[in-house]
Amino acid sequence: MIKPRTTPGVMELLPRDQIAFQRMLDVIRRNYERFGFLPVETPVFELSEVLLTKTGGETERQVYFVQSTGALGQGGQPELALRFDLTVPLARYVAQHEHDLAFPFRRYQIQRVYRGERAQRGRFREFYQCDIDVIGKDTLGVRHDAEMPAVIHAVFSELGVGPFTIQLNNRKLLRGFFEGLGIADGERQALVLREIDKLDKRGAEAVRATLTGPDFGLAEDVADRIMAFVQVRSNSHADALARLDALGSGNATLAEGVAELREVVELLKAQGVPESDYAVNFSIARGLDYYTGTVYETTLDDHPQIGSVCSGGRYEDLASHYTKSKLPGVGISIGATRLFWQLREAGIIESAESSVDVMVGLMDESRLGDSLDIARQLRAAGINTEVQMEARKLARQFHYADKAGIRFVALYGEDEAARGVVTVKDLRAKEQFEVPRAELAATLRVELEQQRAMGSH
Amino acid sequence: MIKPRTTPGVMELLPRDQIAFQRMLDVIRRNYERFGFLPVETPVFELSEVLLTKTGGETERQVYFVQSTGALGQGGQPELALRFDLTVPLARYVAQHEHDLAFPFRRYQIQRVYRGERAQRGRFREFYQCDIDVIGKDTLGVRHDAEMPAVIHAVFSELGVGPFTIQLNNRKLLRGFFEGLGIADGERQALVLREIDKLDKRGAEAVRATLTGPDFGLAEDVADRIMAFVQVRSNSHADALARLDALGSGNATLAEGVAELREVVELLKAQGVPESDYAVNFSIARGLDYYTGTVYETTLDDHPQIGSVCSGGRYEDLASHYTKSKLPGVGISIGATRLFWQLREAGIIESAESSVDVMVGLMDESRLGDSLDIARQLRAAGINTEVQMEARKLARQFHYADKAGIRFVALYGEDEAARGVVTVKDLRAKEQFEVPRAELAATLRVELEQQRAMGSH
């Protein structure tokens, strides 16, 4: 006998949690489609040679390699490896199918990715990423950068996870600002930005001390200007624009960054995103060296400890490893597994009711034909219906429905048959009522639509 | 520069094919939920020790093992392996979560599985399986066996792939029949059944010759009775029952099999499945030794060369490797990747129109705000909408929409603004019309609902 268990670092859910998780994915997918993004799925494994174009780094150390039985123990790097994000597969996909795609190419991808993380609570070796990207050929206007936060807004509004803020910044603006302070060297900027990225974790004092300490050796007034700069958070649309104005024109890089971020902020308003839901935040840098312009992070106002729930940005060239074509893009990613896990830990998400709307109980073996016919009518009306195929004790049938989270139990026994009605028990409202058999589907459909409209499914 | 490519044996689709494939998966999922099955997802990898409980066999030779960078080259069997079906993960899941599940446990699972197949046209190393199973605790009535073909009927009716036949048989009936002919040894029966399984491929003559040849040495009249038996196909509900009656009661095993299959056939009718869509077929054995009662295969009447598109059956005990509990079950599986690939090869499925319903074109840079507002209204009405963010040449915008398979292009230029209307080009109907701006969303919604009702999306 083998102990049934999974490897640590995976999220496997019981059905009612899986239903809640599936609804989250459905909301994300529906909104991605609503904004005109097209679905793409790629294989879970890529050829190792294709996947691992960059040498070394944290990512490669965490890669899961795949090999069939026959290839085991033959030495050398295995031919296949599991994807560790959706960006490298996107780059490979766009380069491979370049001549069959229409640009700007707008794709969404909702699939699992794999990282050989150490086993630790809240760290996942397998997790869903939900990505959208717009990829241009040769060029892609900055206006597309303004579409991303509009999608984020739509998704998180519908997820119903409370108030959130989409935080915006621009890497050119950051670079230009540092150049203006005499920190012109790209690598040195990157180091300062990496320190600034720790602001939330280490606090302003500690970061300032590092900047004026031996590692960086910045003058006190330079450190002061940096600290003031990175603590900017706008609190309204007008404030966001004023904060940008206050930066002045400075050097060309700063001016370009300011102009881009201004356009993004203006277009957010034009798309009807409420000004309470976005802010400029000059401390946002994003860890990756990958981003070159606009960058995004999204935080839940009431749950800052969760950190960013949706991040992304603008990059110069998606697929330089695979094609000579220049493919600039902008994109965002939601890590749905981690998000779901954290929202559940924080008590924001609970197990869903069952996806089964109605259980047709069976009081009497001779009525099975009626049960099946009632179920057929309910299903034809779009109602998810389960039939008790055996006349177990009624108490057991109710216990089963209750444990499974099914709202309605429909009963059709001798008494009901004589009067042409169905008895319905509403386990949620703890009510019982009778409906003429022919009207059952229509009646329950109204009840279920009300429930859905109230968002309490 | 690295050549962008995937490993052979995976199905990677362009967006319009992916949309068509996604619709197929959605139909399957919707119908599985309609019949009261609950969603389960399991990790793509299982612990090798848990996955590979049986020794040897084709399956184990085809397993893909997974190991992280650090574990490479350390010898021994890798700790993880990719699932090769959804049945072993289900067994592990039910045994692991037994005390949190309500029985009979009805689950569906739609995920990809992995097999190290040789590279060959139409053979997939990664493919979707779409499974449902009902798992009982200790016992599970044969009535549940009748739910499976009802689900198959609902799925394949909605998929719209032409007429199909759900073929039914019962392993007890088969065993009993062979016992009656003096072929009582289980292993010998299995060998005969394996020959019969080749009937479609090898033809009746070849199979008969094998049975009377040196390998089996059956008497001519025994071979005749077998050949007559396995060629039985009922052509109506009454005929199915008559074919079962004609078998007589014989031995106990035969009688039990006949009674079970009769109940399944009766309940199929009671569930409203048209009699043209099911048949008893005494040649169906299913390769797996796994099945013990009812077995199913489903074939497309106009495309017999595709073989079975949905198969399954009844098994005695799901998870004997992981738990002492007895867990009998019944289930079916649709291999969606292979099905989609074959339907496309046969010309039954074509690329879908875009999931984007409307593209808002941009004739004049100054109108971007209007475009975004129009898009906002369309999206609020549930219409998938893409905005042209830059005023490229109109011909290019139309070319883009056409290539992407988008049906409607909405235009709002100076002339339209002056009159408060939007010009709509219907690229499918090759028509153009004007709508008051405030009525655009309602008008297009009607058009799109008509399109969906006609099933021509």
Side-chain angles (χ1 to χ4, degrees):
Chain A
M1 197 77 73
I2 294 154
K3 187 174 181 233
R5 64 198 201 285
T6 55
T7 184
V10 300
M11 184 175 84
E12 181 168 88
L13 301 171
L14 289 170
R16 291 175 68 174
D17 288 324
Q18 182 65 37
I19 292 164
F21 182 61
Q22 188 61 53
R23 286 198 177 130
M24 173 185 276
L25 294 184
D26 286 344
V27 166
I28 295 170
R29 174 180 158 195
R30 184 163 56 244
N31 280 284
Y32 284 179
E33 292 191 345
R34 193 66 39 88
F35 278 80
F37 291 85
L38 302 173
V40 161
E41 289 195 340
T42 62
V44 77
F45 37 47
E46 297 279 343
L47 292 163
S48 302
E49 171 199 339
V50 170
L51 192 67
L52 304 171
T53 53
K54 293 174 198 158
T55 48
E58 181 71 7
T59 305
E60 185 148 353
R61 283 203 304 280
Q62 293 188 338
V63 161
Y64 279 119
F65 288 99
V66 175
Q67 45 195 340
S68 58
T69 315
L72 276 182
Q74 293 192 349
Q77 178 173 280
E79 197 195 6
L80 299 172
L82 300 181
R83 61 176 167 240
F84 50 81
D85 68 12
L86 301 180
T87 303
V88 178
L90 171 66
R92 194 267 307 148
Y93 181 95
V94 174
Q96 185 174 340
H97 304 292
E98 194 177 332
H99 301 294
D100 296 312
L101 301 175
F103 291 88
F105 176 54
R106 307 161 65 84
R107 87 85 176 77
Y108 77 86
Q109 186 168 0
I110 298 180
Q111 291 193 286
R112 296 174 180 212
V113 305
Y114 298 87
R115 293 186 193 170
E117 294 270 3
R118 272 173 308 133
Q120 198 180 322
R121 190 173 157 73
R123 289 243 180 185
F124 292 101
R125 292 174 173 172
E126 175 186 61
F127 56 97
Y128 269 98
Q129 283 199 336
C130 311
D131 284 20
I132 49 173
D133 288 85
V134 183
I135 311 296
K137 185 112 175 212
D138 302 321
T139 61
L140 183 75
V142 70
R143 292 171 171 185
H144 288 283
D145 297 23
E147 292 194 276
M148 299 293 137
V151 181
I152 297 172
H153 181 261
V155 167
F156 283 88
S157 298
E158 191 174 341
L159 284 178
V161 292
F164 55 89
T165 304
I166 304 164
Q167 319 219 25
L168 306 161
N169 200 8
N170 186 293
R171 292 295 294 255
K172 288 175 194 163
L173 183 158
L174 271 178
R175 278 203 295 126
F177 171 78
F178 285 112
E179 279 174 23
L181 294 179
I183 307 169
D185 177 59
E187 217 154 292
R188 194 134 178 266
Q189 285 182 1
L191 288 172
V192 175
L193 287 174
R194 208 160 298 159
E195 281 308 304
I196 289 171
D197 236 14
K198 299 174 188 164
L199 210 55
D200 284 346
K201 279 180 202 147
R202 297 187 63 211
E205 275 317 297
V207 169
R208 190 182 186 287
T210 303
L211 293 179
T212 55
D215 287 352
F216 289 91
L218 295 179
E220 295 286 339
D221 70 313
V222 169
D224 285 343
R225 287 180 63 189
I226 293 175
M227 294 309 294
F229 171 79
V230 297
Q231 286 177 54
V232 167
R233 311 276 186 281
S234 67
N235 56 32
S236 70
H237 183 74
D239 187 42
L241 297 180
R243 299 291 194 159
L244 289 170
D245 284 343
L247 291 174
S249 53
N251 54 57
T253 313
L254 178 67
E256 198 178 332
V258 167
E260 286 184 5
L261 191 47
R262 181 191 309 278
E263 181 152 14
V264 169
V265 168
E266 296 278 23
L267 286 175
L268 262 181
K269 189 174 186 188
Q271 288 174 100
V273 178
E275 61 182 331
S276 59
D277 295 352
Y278 58 90
V280 301
N281 175 342
F282 293 154
S283 79
I284 305 283
R286 300 300 305 149
L288 292 163
D289 297 329
Y290 189 59
Y291 296 118
T292 52
T294 314
V295 284
Y296 320 92
E297 289 191 356
T298 310
T299 48
L300 302 183
D301 298 356
D302 299 338
H303 304 275
Q305 80 287 358
I306 289 181
S308 178
V309 293
C310 177
S311 312
R314 153 72 68 148
Y315 39 88
E316 256 343 271
D317 197 0
L318 175 71
S320 58
H321 293 294
Y322 309 120
T323 173
K324 286 178 192 163
S325 302
K326 201 186 165 207
L327 300 168
V330 61
I332 52 165
S333 181
I334 300 174
T337 299
R338 180 174 166 274
L339 177 61
F340 181 82
W341 188 82
Q342 292 190 303
L343 293 175
R344 207 172 47 152
E345 290 281 301
I348 305 170
I349 280 190
E350 292 180 358
S351 300
E353 287 207 339
S354 179
S355 51
V356 180
D357 303 313
V358 182
M359 184 187 87
V360 183
L362 186 60
M363 299 159 83
D364 173 347
E365 290 291 342
S366 71
R367 295 281 167 206
L368 181 62
D370 290 305
S371 286
L372 294 173
D373 187 61
I374 288 168
R376 193 185 52 74
Q377 288 179 39
L378 291 170
R379 288 168 183 152
I383 296 171
N384 296 345
T385 306
E386 173 179 349
V387 176
Q388 281 285 313
M389 300 297 276
E390 276 156 89
R392 300 185 291 172
K393 277 187 191 149
L394 262 192
R396 266 188 77 188
Q397 295 186 41
F398 279 112
H399 177 74
Y400 170 86
D402 195 46
K403 187 171 175 189
I406 299 171
R407 182 172 165 194
F408 294 109
V409 177
L411 292 171
Y412 187 80
E414 200 176 338
D415 178 47
E416 284 85 358
R419 292 182 293 123
V421 299
V422 178
T423 297
V424 178
K425 293 226 185 205
D426 182 338
L427 298 184
R428 204 168 59 127
K430 302 196 195 315
E431 287 171 0
Q432 177 170 331
F433 54 92
E434 285 187 359
V435 202
R437 178 169 165 171
E439 290 167 28
L440 178 67
T443 304
L444 293 183
R445 204 173 158 152
V446 169
E447 292 279 344
L448 290 164
E449 270 163 18
Q450 277 175 356
Q451 177 179 331
R452 266 160 213 151
M454 290 166 65
S456 58
H457 51 162
Chain B
M1 197 76 73
I2 293 155
K3 188 175 180 229
R5 65 199 202 283
T6 55
T7 186
V10 299
M11 184 176 83
E12 181 168 88
L13 301 170
L14 289 171
R16 291 176 67 174
D17 288 324
Q18 182 65 38
I19 292 164
F21 182 61
Q22 189 60 53
R23 288 200 175 127
M24 173 184 275
L25 294 184
D26 286 345
V27 166
I28 295 170
R29 175 180 157 195
R30 185 163 56 243
N31 281 286
Y32 283 177
E33 292 190 346
R34 193 66 39 87
F35 278 79
F37 291 85
L38 302 173
V40 161
E41 290 196 341
T42 63
V44 76
F45 36 49
E46 297 279 343
L47 292 162
S48 302
E49 172 200 339
V50 171
L51 190 68
L52 303 171
T53 52
K54 293 174 198 158
T55 48
E58 180 72 6
T59 303
E60 186 150 352
R61 281 206 304 279
Q62 293 188 339
V63 161
Y64 279 119
F65 288 99
V66 175
Q67 47 195 338
S68 57
T69 315
L72 276 183
Q74 292 189 353
Q77 179 173 278
E79 197 195 5
L80 300 172
L82 300 182
R83 61 175 167 240
F84 50 80
D85 67 12
L86 300 179
T87 303
V88 178
L90 172 66
R92 194 265 309 147
Y93 181 95
V94 174
Q96 184 174 340
H97 305 292
E98 193 176 333
H99 302 294
D100 296 311
L101 301 175
F103 292 89
F105 176 55
R106 309 161 64 82
R107 86 86 176 77
Y108 77 86
Q109 187 169 0
I110 298 180
Q111 291 193 286
R112 297 174 181 212
V113 304
Y114 297 88
R115 293 186 193 171
E117 294 270 3
R118 272 174 307 131
Q120 197 180 322
R121 189 173 160 73
R123 290 242 180 184
F124 293 101
R125 293 173 172 173
E126 175 187 60
F127 56 98
Y128 270 97
Q129 283 197 336
C130 310
D131 283 21
I132 51 175
D133 287 86
V134 183
I135 311 296
K137 185 116 174 208
D138 302 321
T139 61
L140 183 76
V142 70
R143 291 170 172 188
H144 288 283
D145 297 23
E147 292 193 277
M148 299 293 138
V151 181
I152 298 173
H153 181 260
V155 168
F156 282 88
S157 297
E158 190 174 342
L159 283 178
V161 293
F164 56 88
T165 304
I166 304 164
Q167 319 219 24
L168 307 161
N169 199 10
N170 186 293
R171 293 294 294 258
K172 290 174 194 164
L173 184 157
L174 270 180
R175 278 203 296 125
F177 172 77
F178 285 112
E179 279 174 25
L181 293 180
I183 307 170
D185 176 59
E187 217 153 291
R188 191 132 181 267
Q189 285 181 2
L191 288 172
V192 174
L193 287 174
R194 206 158 301 157
E195 282 307 305
I196 288 170
D197 235 13
K198 299 175 189 164
L199 210 56
D200 284 345
K201 279 180 203 144
R202 296 186 63 210
E205 275 314 299
V207 169
R208 191 181 187 288
T210 302
L211 293 179
T212 55
D215 287 352
F216 289 91
L218 296 180
E220 295 287 339
D221 69 316
V222 169
D224 285 342
R225 287 180 62 191
I226 293 175
M227 294 310 296
F229 172 78
V230 298
Q231 285 176 54
V232 166
R233 310 279 183 280
S234 67
N235 56 33
S236 70
H237 182 75
D239 186 42
L241 296 180
R243 299 290 195 160
L244 288 169
D245 284 344
L247 290 175
S249 52
N251 54 55
T253 314
L254 178 68
E256 198 178 331
V258 167
E260 286 185 6
L261 191 47
R262 182 192 309 278
E263 181 152 16
V264 170
V265 168
E266 296 279 21
L267 285 175
L268 262 182
K269 189 173 185 190
Q271 289 174 98
V273 178
E275 61 183 330
S276 58
D277 295 352
Y278 59 89
V280 301
N281 175 343
F282 294 153
S283 78
I284 305 283
R286 302 300 305 151
L288 291 165
D289 296 329
Y290 190 59
Y291 296 117
T292 52
T294 315
V295 284
Y296 319 93
E297 289 191 357
T298 311
T299 46
L300 303 184
D301 298 355
D302 299 340
H303 303 275
Q305 80 287 357
I306 289 181
S308 178
V309 293
C310 178
S311 312
R314 153 74 66 150
Y315 41 87
E316 252 349 87
D317 197 0
L318 176 71
S320 58
H321 294 293
Y322 310 120
T323 174
K324 285 176 193 163
S325 302
K326 200 186 167 209
L327 301 168
V330 60
I332 52 165
S333 181
I334 301 174
T337 300
R338 180 174 166 273
L339 177 60
F340 181 82
W341 188 82
Q342 291 189 302
L343 292 176
R344 206 171 48 151
E345 291 280 301
I348 304 169
I349 281 189
E350 294 181 357
S351 298
E353 286 208 340
S354 179
S355 51
V356 180
D357 302 312
V358 182
M359 183 187 87
V360 183
L362 186 60
M363 297 160 84
D364 172 346
E365 290 291 342
S366 69
R367 295 281 167 206
L368 181 61
D370 291 304
S371 286
L372 293 173
D373 186 63
I374 288 168
R376 192 184 52 73
Q377 289 180 38
L378 291 170
R379 288 168 184 153
I383 296 171
N384 295 346
T385 305
E386 173 180 349
V387 176
Q388 282 285 312
M389 300 297 274
E390 277 157 88
R392 299 184 292 172
K393 276 186 191 152
L394 262 192
R396 267 188 74 188
Q397 297 185 40
F398 278 112
H399 177 74
Y400 170 86
D402 195 47
K403 188 172 173 185
I406 300 170
R407 181 171 165 195
F408 294 110
V409 177
L411 292 171
Y412 187 80
E414 201 176 338
D415 178 48
E416 283 85 358
R419 291 181 295 122
V421 298
V422 177
T423 297
V424 178
K425 292 226 185 204
D426 182 339
L427 297 185
R428 205 169 58 127
K430 302 196 195 318
E431 286 171 359
Q432 178 169 331
F433 54 92
E434 285 187 358
V435 201
R437 179 168 165 172
E439 291 167 26
L440 178 67
T443 303
L444 292 184
R445 205 170 158 155
V446 169
E447 292 279 343
L448 290 164
E449 270 163 16
Q450 277 176 358
Q451 176 180 331
R452 265 159 215 151
M454 291 166 65
S456 59
H457 50 167

